[in-house]
Amino acid sequence: MAEKFPDKIPVFPLRSAIFFPETNLPLNIFEPRYLKMVEKTIQSNGVLGMIQSKEINGDVFDVGCLGKINSHKKTEDGRILINLYGLTRFKINKEINNDEPYREFLVSYDAFRNDLNQNYSINDSLFNKIKENSKRLFERQGMALNWGQLSKLKRSQQIYTLVMISPFSVSEKQKLLEIPKIDEIGKTFVDITNFSFFEDSNKEDTIQ
């Protein structure tokens, strides 16, 4: 890989928080264990992993995203406000027993080498379908989005951002996160939204 990322990383498990490369994730850190994690991360290499947690026994999914803390601010009441910039996705190999209040894992980045390739091939037809379905989805959900600002981003960033903010289930977002290639993410995004439109139309027909 063009850049060497650490094999051992601290991980912040957070349900429903999906995070992709090339995107920004602002976080409000207030739990003591994660305050310690963030403080130590800032003092070292500045990177930590975000991963979705499951409902049972504190388990986490196998795939998350490594982020770099590129800004941080401590508040008067002791919280830390940070911004994470997505670097690359990772797959968990195993959890490490440590003496810290937070969790650390050994991870691999091999399955997501394309995250570092900036020459994404996303054809116009697929990209336009993603945007068309997104607008329809957000309108149905009553969600407002500044499409002008979004269009200023690279295509890859637009797709990742739409996945992150879409009202999908935890399992659907995780499924999208685990797909290595961005064009396949886009196709799956279209499939999920098409299925939700189909379900909604069936409900409307039933009510009528």
Side-chain angles (χ1 to χ4, degrees), residues 153-200:
L153 303 176
K154 293 191 304 182
R155 283 192 173 185
S156 55
Q157 291 174 306
Q158 290 187 53
I159 292 172
Y160 288 150
T161 299
L162 289 170
V163 171
M164 286 171 65
I165 64 178
S166 290
F168 296 153
S169 68
V170 168
S171 59
E172 286 170 334
K173 287 192 173 188
Q174 187 65 30
K175 179 181 179 180
L176 289 161
L177 184 71
E178 293 180 5
I179 298 171
K181 294 185 177 179
I182 192 168
D183 58 337
E184 293 300 323
I185 292 173
K187 291 173 186 175
T188 305
F189 179 92
V190 169
D191 288 343
I192 292 172
T193 50
N194 281 341
F195 183 71
S196 72
F197 300 150
F198 174 75
E199 283 193 319
D200 286 348

Coordinates of all heavy atoms in Angstrom, one line a residue, residues 153-200:
L153 N -18.3 18.4 -4.2 CA -17.4 17.3 -3.8 C -17.1 16.4 -4.9 O -17.8 16.3 -5.9 CB -18.0 16.5 -2.6 CG -18.4 17.2 -1.4 CD1 -19.1 16.2 -0.4 CD2 -17.2 17.8 -0.7
K154 N -16.0 15.6 -4.8 CA -15.7 14.6 -5.8 C -16.8 13.5 -5.8 O -17.5 13.4 -4.8 CB -14.4 13.8 -5.5 CG -13.2 14.7 -5.6 CD -11.9 13.9 -5.5 CE -11.8 13.0 -4.2 NZ -10.6 12.3 -4.2
R155 N -16.9 12.8 -6.9 CA -18.0 11.8 -7.0 C -17.9 10.8 -5.9 O -19.0 10.4 -5.4 CB -17.9 11.1 -8.4 CG -18.5 12.0 -9.5 CD -18.7 11.1 -10.8 NE -19.4 11.9 -11.8 CZ -19.7 11.4 -13.0 NH1 -19.5 10.2 -13.3 NH2 -20.4 12.2 -13.9
S156 N -16.7 10.3 -5.6 CA -16.6 9.3 -4.6 C -17.1 9.9 -3.2 O -17.8 9.2 -2.5 CB -15.1 8.9 -4.4 OG -14.3 10.0 -4.2
Q157 N -16.7 11.1 -2.9 CA -17.2 11.7 -1.7 C -18.7 11.9 -1.6 O -19.3 11.8 -0.6 CB -16.5 13.1 -1.5 CG -15.0 13.0 -1.2 CD -14.3 14.3 -1.2 OE1 -14.4 15.1 -2.1 NE2 -13.6 14.6 -0.1
Q158 N -19.3 12.3 -2.8 CA -20.7 12.4 -2.8 C -21.4 11.1 -2.5 O -22.4 11.1 -1.8 CB -21.1 12.9 -4.2 CG -20.7 14.4 -4.5 CD -21.3 14.9 -5.8 OE1 -22.5 14.8 -6.0 NE2 -20.5 15.4 -6.7
I159 N -20.9 10.0 -3.1 CA -21.6 8.7 -2.9 C -21.4 8.3 -1.5 O -22.4 7.9 -0.8 CB -20.9 7.7 -3.9 CG1 -21.3 8.0 -5.3 CG2 -21.4 6.3 -3.5 CD1 -20.6 7.2 -6.3
Y160 N -20.2 8.4 -0.9 CA -20.0 8.0 0.5 C -20.8 8.9 1.4 O -21.4 8.3 2.4 CB -18.5 8.2 0.8 CG -17.6 7.2 0.2 CD1 -16.2 7.5 -0.1 CD2 -18.0 5.9 -0.1 CE1 -15.4 6.6 -0.6 CE2 -17.1 5.0 -0.7 CZ -15.8 5.3 -0.9 OH -14.9 4.4 -1.5
T161 N -20.9 10.1 1.1 CA -21.7 11.0 2.0 C -23.2 10.6 2.0 O -23.9 10.6 3.0 CB -21.6 12.5 1.6 OG1 -20.2 12.9 1.7 CG2 -22.4 13.4 2.4
L162 N -23.7 10.3 0.8 CA -25.1 9.9 0.6 C -25.4 8.6 1.4 O -26.4 8.5 2.0 CB -25.5 9.8 -0.8 CG -25.6 11.1 -1.6 CD1 -25.7 10.9 -3.1 CD2 -26.8 12.0 -1.1
V163 N -24.4 7.7 1.3 CA -24.6 6.5 2.1 C -24.6 6.7 3.6 O -25.5 6.2 4.3 CB -23.5 5.5 1.8 CG1 -23.5 4.3 2.7 CG2 -23.6 5.0 0.3
M164 N -23.7 7.6 4.0 CA -23.6 7.9 5.5 C -24.9 8.5 6.0 O -25.3 8.2 7.2 CB -22.4 8.8 5.7 CG -21.1 8.1 5.6 SD -19.7 9.2 5.7 CE -19.8 9.9 7.4
I165 N -25.5 9.4 5.3 CA -26.7 10.2 5.8 C -28.0 9.6 5.4 O -29.1 10.0 5.9 CB -26.6 11.6 5.4 CG1 -26.8 11.8 3.8 CG2 -25.4 12.3 5.8 CD1 -26.8 13.2 3.3
S166 N -28.0 8.5 4.6 CA -29.3 7.9 4.2 C -30.0 7.2 5.3 O -29.3 6.6 6.2 CB -29.1 7.0 3.0 OG -28.8 7.7 1.8
P167 N -31.3 7.2 5.4 CA -32.0 6.5 6.5 C -32.1 5.0 6.3 O -33.2 4.4 6.3 CB -33.4 7.2 6.4 CG -33.6 7.5 5.0 CD -32.2 7.8 4.5
F168 N -31.0 4.4 6.2 CA -30.9 2.9 6.1 C -30.8 2.3 7.5 O -30.4 2.9 8.4 CB -29.8 2.5 5.2 CG -29.8 2.9 3.8 CD1 -28.7 3.1 3.0 CD2 -31.1 3.2 3.2 CE1 -28.7 3.5 1.7 CE2 -31.1 3.6 1.9 CZ -30.0 3.8 1.1
S169 N -31.0 1.0 7.5 CA -30.8 0.2 8.7 C -29.4 0.0 9.0 O -28.5 0.2 8.1 CB -31.5 -1.1 8.6 OG -30.9 -2.0 7.7
V170 N -29.0 -0.4 10.2 CA -27.6 -0.7 10.6 C -27.1 -1.7 9.7 O -25.9 -1.6 9.2 CB -27.6 -1.1 12.1 CG1 -26.2 -1.7 12.4 CG2 -27.9 0.0 13.0
S171 N -27.8 -2.8 9.4 CA -27.3 -3.9 8.6 C -27.1 -3.4 7.2 O -26.2 -3.9 6.5 CB -28.3 -5.1 8.7 OG -29.6 -4.7 8.3
E172 N -28.0 -2.6 6.7 CA -27.9 -2.1 5.3 C -26.6 -1.2 5.1 O -25.9 -1.4 4.2 CB -29.1 -1.3 4.9 CG -30.3 -2.2 4.6 CD -31.6 -1.5 4.4 OE1 -31.7 -0.3 4.9 OE2 -32.5 -2.0 3.7
K173 N -26.4 -0.4 6.1 CA -25.2 0.5 6.0 C -24.0 -0.3 6.2 O -23.0 -0.1 5.5 CB -25.3 1.6 7.1 CG -26.3 2.7 6.9 CD -26.2 3.8 7.8 CE -27.1 5.0 7.4 NZ -26.8 6.2 8.1
Q174 N -24.0 -1.3 7.0 CA -22.8 -2.2 7.2 C -22.5 -3.0 5.9 O -21.4 -3.1 5.5 CB -23.0 -3.1 8.4 CG -21.8 -3.9 8.7 CD -20.6 -3.1 9.2 OE1 -20.9 -2.0 9.8 NE2 -19.4 -3.5 9.0
K175 N -23.6 -3.4 5.3 CA -23.4 -4.1 4.0 C -22.7 -3.2 3.0 O -21.8 -3.7 2.3 CB -24.8 -4.6 3.5 CG -24.7 -5.3 2.1 CD -26.1 -5.6 1.7 CE -26.1 -6.3 0.3 NZ -27.5 -6.7 -0.2
L176 N -23.1 -2.0 2.9 CA -22.5 -1.0 2.0 C -21.0 -0.8 2.3 O -20.2 -0.7 1.5 CB -23.3 0.3 1.9 CG -24.7 0.2 1.2 CD1 -25.6 1.3 1.7 CD2 -24.5 0.1 -0.3
L177 N -20.8 -0.6 3.6 CA -19.4 -0.4 4.1 C -18.4 -1.5 3.7 O -17.3 -1.3 3.4 CB -19.4 -0.2 5.6 CG -18.1 0.2 6.2 CD1 -17.7 1.6 5.8 CD2 -18.1 0.1 7.8
E178 N -18.9 -2.7 3.7 CA -18.1 -3.9 3.5 C -17.8 -4.2 2.0 O -17.0 -5.1 1.7 CB -18.7 -5.1 4.2 CG -18.7 -5.0 5.7 CD -19.3 -6.1 6.4 OE1 -19.6 -7.1 5.7 OE2 -19.5 -6.1 7.7
I179 N -18.4 -3.4 1.1 CA -18.2 -3.7 -0.3 C -16.9 -2.9 -0.7 O -16.9 -1.7 -0.6 CB -19.4 -3.2 -1.1 CG1 -20.7 -4.0 -0.7 CG2 -19.1 -3.3 -2.6 CD1 -21.9 -3.4 -1.4
P180 N -15.9 -3.6 -1.2 CA -14.6 -3.0 -1.5 C -14.7 -1.9 -2.6 O -14.1 -0.8 -2.4 CB -13.7 -4.1 -1.9 CG -14.3 -5.4 -1.3 CD -15.8 -5.1 -1.4
K181 N -15.4 -2.1 -3.7 CA -15.3 -1.2 -4.8 C -16.5 -0.2 -4.8 O -17.6 -0.6 -4.6 CB -15.3 -2.0 -6.1 CG -14.1 -2.9 -6.3 CD -14.0 -3.5 -7.7 CE -12.8 -4.3 -7.9 NZ -12.7 -5.0 -9.2
I182 N -16.2 1.0 -5.1 CA -17.2 2.1 -5.0 C -18.3 1.9 -6.0 O -19.4 2.3 -5.8 CB -16.5 3.5 -5.1 CG1 -17.5 4.5 -4.7 CG2 -15.9 3.7 -6.5 CD1 -16.9 5.9 -4.4
D183 N -18.0 1.4 -7.2 CA -19.1 1.2 -8.2 C -20.1 0.2 -7.7 O -21.3 0.3 -7.9 CB -18.5 0.9 -9.6 CG -17.7 -0.4 -9.6 OD1 -17.1 -0.8 -8.5 OD2 -17.5 -1.0 -10.7
E184 N -19.6 -0.9 -7.0 CA -20.5 -1.9 -6.5 C -21.3 -1.3 -5.3 O -22.4 -1.7 -5.1 CB -19.7 -3.1 -6.0 CG -19.0 -3.9 -7.2 CD -20.1 -4.4 -8.2 OE1 -21.2 -4.8 -7.8 OE2 -19.8 -4.3 -9.4
I185 N -20.6 -0.4 -4.5 CA -21.4 0.3 -3.5 C -22.5 1.1 -4.1 O -23.7 1.0 -3.6 CB -20.5 1.2 -2.7 CG1 -19.4 0.5 -1.9 CG2 -21.3 2.2 -1.7 CD1 -18.4 1.3 -1.2
G186 N -22.2 1.8 -5.2 CA -23.3 2.6 -5.8 C -24.4 1.7 -6.3 O -25.6 2.0 -6.2
K187 N -24.1 0.6 -6.9 CA -25.1 -0.3 -7.5 C -26.0 -0.9 -6.3 O -27.2 -1.0 -6.5 CB -24.5 -1.5 -8.2 CG -23.8 -1.1 -9.6 CD -23.1 -2.2 -10.2 CE -22.3 -1.8 -11.4 NZ -21.5 -2.9 -12.0
T188 N -25.4 -1.2 -5.2 CA -26.1 -1.8 -4.1 C -27.0 -0.7 -3.5 O -28.1 -0.9 -3.0 CB -25.2 -2.4 -3.0 OG1 -24.3 -3.3 -3.6 CG2 -25.9 -3.0 -1.9
F189 N -26.5 0.5 -3.4 CA -27.2 1.7 -2.9 C -28.5 1.8 -3.8 O -29.6 2.0 -3.2 CB -26.4 3.0 -3.0 CG -27.1 4.2 -2.6 CD1 -27.0 4.6 -1.2 CD2 -27.8 5.0 -3.4 CE1 -27.6 5.8 -0.8 CE2 -28.5 6.1 -3.0 CZ -28.4 6.5 -1.7
V190 N -28.4 1.8 -5.1 CA -29.5 1.9 -6.0 C -30.5 0.7 -5.7 O -31.7 0.9 -5.6 CB -29.1 1.9 -7.4 CG1 -30.3 1.7 -8.4 CG2 -28.3 3.2 -7.7
D191 N -30.0 -0.5 -5.5 CA -30.9 -1.6 -5.2 C -31.7 -1.5 -3.9 O -32.9 -1.7 -3.9 CB -30.0 -2.9 -5.1 CG -29.5 -3.4 -6.5 OD1 -30.0 -2.9 -7.5 OD2 -28.6 -4.2 -6.5
I192 N -31.0 -1.0 -2.9 CA -31.6 -0.8 -1.6 C -32.7 0.3 -1.7 O -33.9 0.1 -1.2 CB -30.6 -0.4 -0.5 CG1 -29.7 -1.6 -0.2 CG2 -31.3 0.1 0.8 CD1 -28.5 -1.2 0.7
T193 N -32.4 1.4 -2.4 CA -33.4 2.5 -2.5 C -34.6 2.0 -3.4 O -35.7 2.3 -3.1 CB -32.8 3.7 -3.1 OG1 -32.0 3.4 -4.2 CG2 -31.9 4.4 -2.0
N194 N -34.3 1.3 -4.5 CA -35.4 0.8 -5.3 C -36.3 -0.1 -4.5 O -37.5 -0.1 -4.7 CB -34.8 0.0 -6.5 CG -34.3 0.9 -7.6 OD1 -34.7 2.1 -7.7 ND2 -33.5 0.4 -8.5
F195 N -35.7 -1.0 -3.7 CA -36.6 -1.9 -2.9 C -37.4 -1.1 -1.9 O -38.6 -1.5 -1.7 CB -35.7 -2.9 -2.2 CG -36.5 -3.9 -1.4 CD1 -37.2 -4.9 -2.0 CD2 -36.5 -3.9 0.0 CE1 -37.9 -5.9 -1.3 CE2 -37.2 -4.8 0.7 CZ -37.9 -5.8 0.1
S196 N -36.9 0.0 -1.3 CA -37.7 0.7 -0.4 C -38.8 1.5 -1.1 O -39.9 1.6 -0.5 CB -36.8 1.8 0.4 OG -36.4 2.8 -0.5
F197 N -38.6 1.9 -2.3 CA -39.6 2.5 -3.1 C -40.7 1.5 -3.4 O -41.9 1.8 -3.4 CB -39.1 3.1 -4.4 CG -38.0 4.2 -4.2 CD1 -37.0 4.3 -5.2 CD2 -38.0 5.0 -3.1 CE1 -36.1 5.3 -5.0 CE2 -37.0 5.9 -2.9 CZ -36.0 6.1 -3.9
F198 N -40.3 0.3 -3.7 CA -41.3 -0.8 -4.0 C -42.1 -1.1 -2.8 O -43.4 -1.2 -2.9 CB -40.5 -2.0 -4.5 CG -41.4 -3.2 -4.7 CD1 -42.2 -3.4 -5.8 CD2 -41.4 -4.3 -3.8 CE1 -43.0 -4.5 -6.0 CE2 -42.1 -5.4 -3.9 CZ -43.0 -5.5 -5.0
E199 N -41.5 -1.2 -1.6 CA -42.2 -1.4 -0.4 C -43.2 -0.3 -0.1 O -44.3 -0.6 0.3 CB -41.2 -1.6 0.8 CG -40.6 -2.9 0.8 CD -39.9 -3.2 2.1 OE1 -39.2 -2.2 2.7 OE2 -39.9 -4.3 2.7
D200 N -42.7 0.9 -0.3 CA -43.6 2.1 0.0 C -44.8 2.1 -0.9 O -46.0 2.4 -0.5 CB -42.8 3.4 -0.2 CG -41.8 3.6 1.0 OD1 -41.9 2.9 2.0 OD2 -41.0 4.5 0.8

